[in-house]
Amino acid sequence: MPSVRTIQVTFDCADPARLASFWCEVLGYEQQGSACVDPAGVGPRLYFQRVPEDKVVKNRLHLDVRVGTGLVGAERVAALEAECARLVALGAVRQRLLLADDVNESCLVMQDIEGNEFCLD
């Protein structure tokens, strides 16, 4: 059996074009209708499909936007905060900063424009 080489991440949402536009801006992807495509061809395609029901509970799956890779301590938190400010200007909502512990580095929990949780990592 051949192995899977690519994936698409599909979001249920109320306004596919608007949410695709938001995520393309976040990731530097190109918008193709209701999808976001990595112009370098490396990252997964994100697809946004309209559904009639509203989001009710916390996501079981979320995206980590990797902005602090290789950074630690105050330098990492500063990078997370700077990206958070950029995304809040796009309509995202800051939830909480989780500071580093014995297991994990610091990350910042946010919500996109339709309330989907994601992390700045």
Side-chain angles (χ1 to χ4, degrees):
M1 178 187 309
S3 63
V4 175
R5 302 233 183 251
T6 62
I7 64 165
Q8 170 176 284
V9 179
T10 302
F11 290 77
D12 291 349
C13 61
D15 188 341
R18 181 172 175 251
L19 197 54
S21 178
F22 170 83
W23 278 104
C24 286
E25 190 69 31
V26 169
L27 300 173
Y29 277 25
E30 296 172 353
Q31 188 167 352
Q32 295 178 355
S34 294
C36 296
V37 179
D38 181 357
V42 177
R45 180 177 191 258
L46 305 181
Y47 181 72
F48 303 89
Q49 66 183 6
R50 184 181 318 277
V51 296
E53 64 275 357
D54 291 332
K55 180 182 179 305
V56 180
V57 298
K58 183 181 181 302
N59 303 7
R60 292 291 304 257
L61 173 81
H62 69 267
L63 299 181
D64 285 345
V65 179
R66 310 291 314 272
V67 297
T69 303
L71 302 176
V72 296
E75 188 178 18
R76 181 181 180 89
V77 171
L80 298 176
E81 294 290 0
E83 184 65 2
C84 177
R86 183 180 82 86
L87 301 184
V88 166
L90 297 175
V93 176
R94 176 193 175 105
Q95 293 295 296
R96 64 191 171 282
L97 174 65
L98 302 173
L99 294 174
D101 58 26
D102 293 336
V103 178
N104 299 300
E105 287 294 339
S106 297
C107 71
L108 212 157
V109 181
M110 300 190 72
Q111 289 181 328
D112 71 16
I113 58 175
E114 286 202 8
N116 301 299
E117 296 85 7
F118 68 97
C119 291
L120 297 180
D121 177 33

PDB file of all heavy atoms in Angstrom, residues 1 6 9 11 26 34-35 42 45 49-50 53 55 59-60 68 73 75 77 83 86 89-90 107 109-110 113 118:
ATOM      1  N   MET A   1       0.850  -1.168   0.000  1.00  0.00           N
ATOM      2  CA  MET A   1       0.000   0.000   0.000  1.00  0.00           C
ATOM      3  C   MET A   1       0.906   1.244   0.000  1.00  0.00           C
ATOM      4  O   MET A   1       1.815   1.349   0.815  1.00  0.00           O
ATOM      5  CB  MET A   1      -0.902  -0.008   1.236  1.00  0.00           C
ATOM      6  CG  MET A   1      -1.763   1.224   1.303  1.00  0.00           C
ATOM      7  SD  MET A   1      -2.743   1.444   2.817  1.00  0.00           S
ATOM      8  CE  MET A   1      -3.570  -0.080   3.020  1.00  0.00           C
ATOM      9  N   THR A   6       0.692  13.788   1.182  1.00  0.00           N
ATOM     10  CA  THR A   6       0.194  15.126   1.480  1.00  0.00           C
ATOM     11  C   THR A   6      -1.118  15.011   2.249  1.00  0.00           C
ATOM     12  O   THR A   6      -1.801  14.000   2.172  1.00  0.00           O
ATOM     13  CB  THR A   6      -0.065  15.953   0.195  1.00  0.00           C
ATOM     14  OG1 THR A   6      -1.064  15.306  -0.586  1.00  0.00           O
ATOM     15  CG2 THR A   6       1.206  16.126  -0.621  1.00  0.00           C
ATOM     16  N   VAL A   9      -6.000  20.088   5.561  1.00  0.00           N
ATOM     17  CA  VAL A   9      -6.705  20.320   6.819  1.00  0.00           C
ATOM     18  C   VAL A   9      -7.981  21.071   6.469  1.00  0.00           C
ATOM     19  O   VAL A   9      -7.926  22.136   5.843  1.00  0.00           O
ATOM     20  CB  VAL A   9      -5.846  21.141   7.803  1.00  0.00           C
ATOM     21  CG1 VAL A   9      -6.613  21.395   9.094  1.00  0.00           C
ATOM     22  CG2 VAL A   9      -4.523  20.432   8.085  1.00  0.00           C
ATOM     23  N   PHE A  11     -11.551  22.897   7.603  1.00  0.00           N
ATOM     24  CA  PHE A  11     -12.243  23.593   8.686  1.00  0.00           C
ATOM     25  C   PHE A  11     -13.714  23.716   8.336  1.00  0.00           C
ATOM     26  O   PHE A  11     -14.060  24.186   7.248  1.00  0.00           O
ATOM     27  CB  PHE A  11     -11.712  25.028   8.832  1.00  0.00           C
ATOM     28  CG  PHE A  11     -10.330  25.149   9.372  1.00  0.00           C
ATOM     29  CD1 PHE A  11      -9.229  24.889   8.573  1.00  0.00           C
ATOM     30  CD2 PHE A  11     -10.128  25.558  10.686  1.00  0.00           C
ATOM     31  CE1 PHE A  11      -7.943  25.033   9.068  1.00  0.00           C
ATOM     32  CE2 PHE A  11      -8.840  25.695  11.187  1.00  0.00           C
ATOM     33  CZ  PHE A  11      -7.748  25.426  10.370  1.00  0.00           C
ATOM     34  N   VAL A  26      -2.338  35.009   7.906  1.00  0.00           N
ATOM     35  CA  VAL A  26      -1.562  34.500   9.045  1.00  0.00           C
ATOM     36  C   VAL A  26      -0.332  33.739   8.561  1.00  0.00           C
ATOM     37  O   VAL A  26       0.780  33.939   9.057  1.00  0.00           O
ATOM     38  CB  VAL A  26      -2.426  33.568   9.938  1.00  0.00           C
ATOM     39  CG1 VAL A  26      -1.579  32.831  10.963  1.00  0.00           C
ATOM     40  CG2 VAL A  26      -3.534  34.355  10.627  1.00  0.00           C
ATOM     41  N   SER A  34     -11.914  29.031  -1.539  1.00  0.00           N
ATOM     42  CA  SER A  34     -12.084  28.756  -0.112  1.00  0.00           C
ATOM     43  C   SER A  34     -10.933  27.931   0.445  1.00  0.00           C
ATOM     44  O   SER A  34     -11.085  27.209   1.429  1.00  0.00           O
ATOM     45  CB  SER A  34     -13.407  28.014   0.116  1.00  0.00           C
ATOM     46  OG  SER A  34     -14.491  28.849  -0.203  1.00  0.00           O
ATOM     47  N   ALA A  35      -9.780  28.036  -0.182  1.00  0.00           N
ATOM     48  CA  ALA A  35      -8.615  27.278   0.266  1.00  0.00           C
ATOM     49  C   ALA A  35      -7.402  28.195   0.396  1.00  0.00           C
ATOM     50  O   ALA A  35      -7.335  29.255  -0.224  1.00  0.00           O
ATOM     51  CB  ALA A  35      -8.309  26.149  -0.708  1.00  0.00           C
ATOM     52  N   VAL A  42       5.176  23.393   0.402  1.00  0.00           N
ATOM     53  CA  VAL A  42       5.672  22.573   1.501  1.00  0.00           C
ATOM     54  C   VAL A  42       4.572  22.279   2.527  1.00  0.00           C
ATOM     55  O   VAL A  42       4.387  21.133   2.932  1.00  0.00           O
ATOM     56  CB  VAL A  42       6.872  23.268   2.195  1.00  0.00           C
ATOM     57  CG1 VAL A  42       7.342  22.451   3.385  1.00  0.00           C
ATOM     58  CG2 VAL A  42       7.992  23.491   1.206  1.00  0.00           C
ATOM     59  N   ARG A  45      -2.393  22.114   2.512  1.00  0.00           N
ATOM     60  CA  ARG A  45      -3.481  22.958   2.004  1.00  0.00           C
ATOM     61  C   ARG A  45      -4.524  23.048   3.104  1.00  0.00           C
ATOM     62  O   ARG A  45      -4.833  22.061   3.774  1.00  0.00           O
ATOM     63  CB  ARG A  45      -4.072  22.306   0.761  1.00  0.00           C
ATOM     64  CG  ARG A  45      -5.198  23.061   0.113  1.00  0.00           C
ATOM     65  CD  ARG A  45      -5.624  22.297  -1.159  1.00  0.00           C
ATOM     66  NE  ARG A  45      -6.518  23.069  -1.983  1.00  0.00           N
ATOM     67  CZ  ARG A  45      -7.841  22.881  -2.039  1.00  0.00           C
ATOM     68  NH1 ARG A  45      -8.412  21.932  -1.321  1.00  0.00           N
ATOM     69  NH2 ARG A  45      -8.583  23.625  -2.833  1.00  0.00           N
ATOM     70  N   GLN A  49     -14.925  24.911   4.590  1.00  0.00           N
ATOM     71  CA  GLN A  49     -16.237  24.536   4.046  1.00  0.00           C
ATOM     72  C   GLN A  49     -17.351  25.052   4.946  1.00  0.00           C
ATOM     73  O   GLN A  49     -17.274  24.973   6.165  1.00  0.00           O
ATOM     74  CB  GLN A  49     -16.339  23.026   3.865  1.00  0.00           C
ATOM     75  CG  GLN A  49     -16.322  22.225   5.134  1.00  0.00           C
ATOM     76  CD  GLN A  49     -16.348  20.734   4.880  1.00  0.00           C
ATOM     77  OE1 GLN A  49     -16.262  20.270   3.745  1.00  0.00           O
ATOM     78  NE2 GLN A  49     -16.474  19.954   5.941  1.00  0.00           N
ATOM     79  N   ARG A  50     -18.364  25.587   4.303  1.00  0.00           N
ATOM     80  CA  ARG A  50     -19.516  26.133   5.035  1.00  0.00           C
ATOM     81  C   ARG A  50     -20.340  24.992   5.627  1.00  0.00           C
ATOM     82  O   ARG A  50     -20.611  23.986   4.975  1.00  0.00           O
ATOM     83  CB  ARG A  50     -20.389  26.955   4.095  1.00  0.00           C
ATOM     84  CG  ARG A  50     -21.560  27.644   4.790  1.00  0.00           C
ATOM     85  CD  ARG A  50     -22.443  28.448   3.831  1.00  0.00           C
ATOM     86  NE  ARG A  50     -21.704  29.204   2.849  1.00  0.00           N
ATOM     87  CZ  ARG A  50     -21.154  30.415   3.047  1.00  0.00           C
ATOM     88  NH1 ARG A  50     -21.267  30.994   4.225  1.00  0.00           N
ATOM     89  NH2 ARG A  50     -20.516  31.040   2.081  1.00  0.00           N
ATOM     90  N   GLU A  53     -24.221  24.714  11.228  1.00  0.00           N
ATOM     91  CA  GLU A  53     -24.203  24.853  12.687  1.00  0.00           C
ATOM     92  C   GLU A  53     -23.041  25.734  13.137  1.00  0.00           C
ATOM     93  O   GLU A  53     -22.017  25.829  12.491  1.00  0.00           O
ATOM     94  CB  GLU A  53     -24.132  23.487  13.370  1.00  0.00           C
ATOM     95  CG  GLU A  53     -22.869  22.695  13.107  1.00  0.00           C
ATOM     96  CD  GLU A  53     -22.887  21.875  11.815  1.00  0.00           C
ATOM     97  OE1 GLU A  53     -23.911  21.845  11.112  1.00  0.00           O
ATOM     98  OE2 GLU A  53     -21.848  21.277  11.512  1.00  0.00           O
ATOM     99  N   LYS A  55     -19.986  26.853  15.851  1.00  0.00           N
ATOM    100  CA  LYS A  55     -18.997  26.192  16.701  1.00  0.00           C
ATOM    101  C   LYS A  55     -19.504  26.273  18.137  1.00  0.00           C
ATOM    102  O   LYS A  55     -19.909  27.329  18.590  1.00  0.00           O
ATOM    103  CB  LYS A  55     -17.645  26.885  16.574  1.00  0.00           C
ATOM    104  CG  LYS A  55     -16.569  26.248  17.423  1.00  0.00           C
ATOM    105  CD  LYS A  55     -15.273  27.014  17.274  1.00  0.00           C
ATOM    106  CE  LYS A  55     -14.168  26.459  18.110  1.00  0.00           C
ATOM    107  NZ  LYS A  55     -14.425  26.331  19.516  1.00  0.00           N
ATOM    108  N   ASN A  59     -12.052  23.006  20.099  1.00  0.00           N
ATOM    109  CA  ASN A  59     -11.551  22.149  19.020  1.00  0.00           C
ATOM    110  C   ASN A  59     -10.912  20.884  19.593  1.00  0.00           C
ATOM    111  O   ASN A  59     -10.250  20.940  20.614  1.00  0.00           O
ATOM    112  CB  ASN A  59     -10.445  22.854  18.221  1.00  0.00           C
ATOM    113  CG  ASN A  59     -10.842  24.158  17.624  1.00  0.00           C
ATOM    114  OD1 ASN A  59     -11.914  24.684  17.863  1.00  0.00           O
ATOM    115  ND2 ASN A  59      -9.962  24.693  16.825  1.00  0.00           N
ATOM    116  N   ARG A  60     -11.069  19.767  18.897  1.00  0.00           N
ATOM    117  CA  ARG A  60     -10.331  18.549  19.246  1.00  0.00           C
ATOM    118  C   ARG A  60      -8.976  18.544  18.547  1.00  0.00           C
ATOM    119  O   ARG A  60      -8.080  17.801  18.901  1.00  0.00           O
ATOM    120  CB  ARG A  60     -11.123  17.314  18.820  1.00  0.00           C
ATOM    121  CG  ARG A  60     -12.403  17.076  19.599  1.00  0.00           C
ATOM    122  CD  ARG A  60     -12.151  16.681  21.039  1.00  0.00           C
ATOM    123  NE  ARG A  60     -11.311  15.535  21.177  1.00  0.00           N
ATOM    124  CZ  ARG A  60     -11.732  14.312  21.468  1.00  0.00           C
ATOM    125  NH1 ARG A  60     -12.999  14.082  21.655  1.00  0.00           N
ATOM    126  NH2 ARG A  60     -10.880  13.334  21.581  1.00  0.00           N
ATOM    127  N   GLY A  68       8.164  30.629  17.374  1.00  0.00           N
ATOM    128  CA  GLY A  68       9.208  30.699  18.390  1.00  0.00           C
ATOM    129  C   GLY A  68      10.193  29.559  18.330  1.00  0.00           C
ATOM    130  O   GLY A  68      10.951  29.334  19.274  1.00  0.00           O
ATOM    131  N   GLY A  73      12.907  31.215  26.794  1.00  0.00           N
ATOM    132  CA  GLY A  73      12.821  32.289  27.778  1.00  0.00           C
ATOM    133  C   GLY A  73      12.168  33.550  27.251  1.00  0.00           C
ATOM    134  O   GLY A  73      11.203  33.505  26.484  1.00  0.00           O
ATOM    135  N   GLU A  75      13.171  35.734  25.129  1.00  0.00           N
ATOM    136  CA  GLU A  75      13.253  35.920  23.675  1.00  0.00           C
ATOM    137  C   GLU A  75      12.086  35.222  22.975  1.00  0.00           C
ATOM    138  O   GLU A  75      11.486  35.763  22.050  1.00  0.00           O
ATOM    139  CB  GLU A  75      14.592  35.386  23.161  1.00  0.00           C
ATOM    140  CG  GLU A  75      14.862  35.693  21.706  1.00  0.00           C
ATOM    141  CD  GLU A  75      16.222  35.187  21.240  1.00  0.00           C
ATOM    142  OE1 GLU A  75      16.822  34.314  21.901  1.00  0.00           O
ATOM    143  OE2 GLU A  75      16.661  35.669  20.184  1.00  0.00           O
ATOM    144  N   VAL A  77       9.098  34.437  24.386  1.00  0.00           N
ATOM    145  CA  VAL A  77       7.870  35.131  24.756  1.00  0.00           C
ATOM    146  C   VAL A  77       7.731  36.420  23.935  1.00  0.00           C
ATOM    147  O   VAL A  77       6.646  36.749  23.465  1.00  0.00           O
ATOM    148  CB  VAL A  77       7.812  35.400  26.267  1.00  0.00           C
ATOM    149  CG1 VAL A  77       6.645  36.312  26.623  1.00  0.00           C
ATOM    150  CG2 VAL A  77       7.703  34.079  27.038  1.00  0.00           C
ATOM    151  N   GLU A  83       4.002  38.379  17.363  1.00  0.00           N
ATOM    152  CA  GLU A  83       3.101  37.751  16.391  1.00  0.00           C
ATOM    153  C   GLU A  83       1.653  37.863  16.847  1.00  0.00           C
ATOM    154  O   GLU A  83       0.756  38.084  16.046  1.00  0.00           O
ATOM    155  CB  GLU A  83       3.484  36.292  16.162  1.00  0.00           C
ATOM    156  CG  GLU A  83       2.667  35.595  15.106  1.00  0.00           C
ATOM    157  CD  GLU A  83       2.841  36.144  13.688  1.00  0.00           C
ATOM    158  OE1 GLU A  83       3.630  37.075  13.460  1.00  0.00           O
ATOM    159  OE2 GLU A  83       2.155  35.625  12.781  1.00  0.00           O
ATOM    160  N   ARG A  86       0.284  41.180  15.820  1.00  0.00           N
ATOM    161  CA  ARG A  86      -0.028  41.211  14.382  1.00  0.00           C
ATOM    162  C   ARG A  86      -1.355  40.514  14.103  1.00  0.00           C
ATOM    163  O   ARG A  86      -2.196  41.015  13.350  1.00  0.00           O
ATOM    164  CB  ARG A  86       1.095  40.541  13.585  1.00  0.00           C
ATOM    165  CG  ARG A  86       0.885  40.585  12.071  1.00  0.00           C
ATOM    166  CD  ARG A  86       2.028  39.910  11.327  1.00  0.00           C
ATOM    167  NE  ARG A  86       1.895  38.470  11.271  1.00  0.00           N
ATOM    168  CZ  ARG A  86       1.196  37.813  10.335  1.00  0.00           C
ATOM    169  NH1 ARG A  86       0.564  38.474   9.366  1.00  0.00           N
ATOM    170  NH2 ARG A  86       1.142  36.494  10.347  1.00  0.00           N
ATOM    171  N   ALA A  89      -4.525  42.347  15.231  1.00  0.00           N
ATOM    172  CA  ALA A  89      -4.872  43.386  14.259  1.00  0.00           C
ATOM    173  C   ALA A  89      -5.652  42.809  13.079  1.00  0.00           C
ATOM    174  O   ALA A  89      -6.428  43.520  12.430  1.00  0.00           O
ATOM    175  CB  ALA A  89      -3.612  44.098  13.760  1.00  0.00           C
ATOM    176  N   LEU A  90      -5.495  41.503  12.806  1.00  0.00           N
ATOM    177  CA  LEU A  90      -6.244  40.836  11.733  1.00  0.00           C
ATOM    178  C   LEU A  90      -7.604  40.327  12.202  1.00  0.00           C
ATOM    179  O   LEU A  90      -8.382  39.816  11.404  1.00  0.00           O
ATOM    180  CB  LEU A  90      -5.442  39.648  11.186  1.00  0.00           C
ATOM    181  CG  LEU A  90      -4.114  39.957  10.522  1.00  0.00           C
ATOM    182  CD1 LEU A  90      -3.405  38.659  10.147  1.00  0.00           C
ATOM    183  CD2 LEU A  90      -4.326  40.835   9.298  1.00  0.00           C
ATOM    184  N   CYS A 107       3.938  29.021  25.094  1.00  0.00           N
ATOM    185  CA  CYS A 107       3.102  29.166  23.906  1.00  0.00           C
ATOM    186  C   CYS A 107       1.967  30.128  24.241  1.00  0.00           C
ATOM    187  O   CYS A 107       1.707  30.426  25.404  1.00  0.00           O
ATOM    188  CB  CYS A 107       2.569  27.833  23.405  1.00  0.00           C
ATOM    189  SG  CYS A 107       1.319  27.077  24.450  1.00  0.00           S
ATOM    190  N   VAL A 109      -2.071  30.879  23.460  1.00  0.00           N
ATOM    191  CA  VAL A 109      -3.331  30.342  22.946  1.00  0.00           C
ATOM    192  C   VAL A 109      -4.168  31.500  22.411  1.00  0.00           C
ATOM    193  O   VAL A 109      -4.328  32.528  23.073  1.00  0.00           O
ATOM    194  CB  VAL A 109      -4.103  29.579  24.040  1.00  0.00           C
ATOM    195  CG1 VAL A 109      -5.400  29.009  23.488  1.00  0.00           C
ATOM    196  CG2 VAL A 109      -3.234  28.483  24.654  1.00  0.00           C
ATOM    197  N   MET A 110      -4.697  31.317  21.194  1.00  0.00           N
ATOM    198  CA  MET A 110      -5.500  32.352  20.539  1.00  0.00           C
ATOM    199  C   MET A 110      -6.730  31.722  19.905  1.00  0.00           C
ATOM    200  O   MET A 110      -6.875  30.501  19.884  1.00  0.00           O
ATOM    201  CB  MET A 110      -4.660  33.057  19.466  1.00  0.00           C
ATOM    202  CG  MET A 110      -3.416  33.730  20.021  1.00  0.00           C
ATOM    203  SD  MET A 110      -2.605  34.795  18.820  1.00  0.00           S
ATOM    204  CE  MET A 110      -3.786  36.167  18.767  1.00  0.00           C
ATOM    205  N   ILE A 113     -10.906  34.247  13.727  1.00  0.00           N
ATOM    206  CA  ILE A 113     -12.067  35.140  13.609  1.00  0.00           C
ATOM    207  C   ILE A 113     -13.412  34.429  13.745  1.00  0.00           C
ATOM    208  O   ILE A 113     -14.434  35.089  13.860  1.00  0.00           O
ATOM    209  CB  ILE A 113     -12.017  35.948  12.296  1.00  0.00           C
ATOM    210  CG1 ILE A 113     -11.976  35.016  11.089  1.00  0.00           C
ATOM    211  CG2 ILE A 113     -10.821  36.891  12.306  1.00  0.00           C
ATOM    212  CD1 ILE A 113     -12.044  35.732   9.752  1.00  0.00           C
ATOM    213  N   PHE A 118      -6.165  28.174  18.291  1.00  0.00           N
ATOM    214  CA  PHE A 118      -4.865  27.816  17.735  1.00  0.00           C
ATOM    215  C   PHE A 118      -3.802  28.338  18.679  1.00  0.00           C
ATOM    216  O   PHE A 118      -4.103  29.123  19.575  1.00  0.00           O
ATOM    217  CB  PHE A 118      -4.680  28.354  16.308  1.00  0.00           C
ATOM    218  CG  PHE A 118      -4.584  29.852  16.180  1.00  0.00           C
ATOM    219  CD1 PHE A 118      -3.349  30.485  16.094  1.00  0.00           C
ATOM    220  CD2 PHE A 118      -5.723  30.642  16.117  1.00  0.00           C
ATOM    221  CE1 PHE A 118      -3.255  31.868  15.963  1.00  0.00           C
ATOM    222  CE2 PHE A 118      -5.648  32.026  15.974  1.00  0.00           C
ATOM    223  CZ  PHE A 118      -4.401  32.640  15.900  1.00  0.00           C
TER     224      PHE A 118
END
